[in-house]
Amino acid sequence: MSRRVLFLDIDGVLNSIAWFRSRGPWPKDPPRWRHDFDPDAVALLDEFVRAVDADIVLSSTWRLLYPIDAISDQLAALGLSRRIVGKTPDWHTAPAGYIVGTYPTRGREIQAWLGTRPEPPDAIAIVDDDADMGDLLPWLAQTNVERGITREALERLTALMSRPAPKREEAKP
């Protein structure tokens, strides 16, 4: 495993509302249009992971819907040169008493994944259109569901990879 890890969301990163609209009228079956990748977004992701030599860990809810190998195969068909090497655990349900949207679920899932590593990575970055990262928010390059991943997000991701990864105590769920 690489000493650098990118935690990848899919919806709002590798696809976007603008990309779906560019393809013509939205289909009547929403599950179909949600499960496509924008080839330009995949090319940007590939540019980044090759430039910084990062492994990809899937933090998207897609990890709960599809096998990692199937997602990797689809991305490879569009030019992604790296396979997805793992996925974060599912802590999707917030504990009782939390208001929906206020529990940093994605961040806690990433923290849990980091906590299972025998050796923590040297650097991490998170690309996601949501900000539910809790203490890991400083490692987030947030995208916008309207546009998906952009060159500006790549610049932020590259800067994040020059920072040290969170210490173990910062990465506890």
Side-chain angles (χ1 to χ4, degrees):
M1 174 167 272
S2 172
R3 299 300 299 157
R4 295 177 174 191
V5 176
L6 173 69
F7 292 94
L8 175 66
D9 182 30
I10 291 180
D11 290 322
V13 176
L14 295 183
N15 58 38
S16 66
I17 293 171
W19 181 71
F20 290 126
R21 286 185 181 144
S22 75
R23 299 175 69 209
W26 285 30
K28 293 182 181 179
D29 180 17
R32 173 68 184 108
W33 67 258
R34 284 186 55 109
H35 302 295
D36 285 347
F37 301 104
D38 176 351
D40 293 334
V42 175
L44 283 173
L45 176 66
D46 187 61
E47 178 184 327
F48 170 73
V49 295
R50 283 186 304 115
V52 302
D53 190 28
D55 283 329
I56 302 169
V57 172
L58 195 62
S59 56
S60 170
T61 54
W62 280 45
R63 73 195 191 285
L64 309 174
L65 303 172
Y66 304 103
I68 298 279
D69 285 341
I71 297 169
S72 277
D73 290 347
Q74 286 182 316
L75 293 171
L78 292 171
L80 186 63
S81 59
R82 297 283 173 112
R83 305 271 311 161
I84 297 169
V85 299
K87 62 183 181 176
T88 56
D90 178 18
W91 288 13
H92 196 69
T93 306
Y98 275 91
I99 299 168
V100 173
T102 64
Y103 186 70
T105 303
R106 186 68 49 91
R108 292 176 67 79
E109 291 167 340
I110 292 169
Q111 288 171 331
W113 186 91
L114 289 168
T116 66
R117 304 290 70 145
E119 289 185 44
D122 293 331
I124 70 164
I126 304 163
V127 62
D128 201 307
D129 62 324
D130 287 322
D132 59 341
M133 300 303 153
D135 293 340
L136 295 180
L137 191 59
W139 285 271
L140 173 66
Q142 189 171 9
T143 62
N144 179 306
V145 70
E146 182 65 39
R147 295 177 302 149
I149 196 167
T150 61
R151 183 118 342 247
E152 292 78 22
L154 256 58
E155 291 170 9
R156 169 92 173 124
L157 288 168
T158 301
L160 289 170
M161 284 296 181
S162 67
R163 298 179 54 191
K167 293 182 173 48
R168 287 260 183 201
E169 54 273 9
E170 291 176 303
K172 288 189 180 178

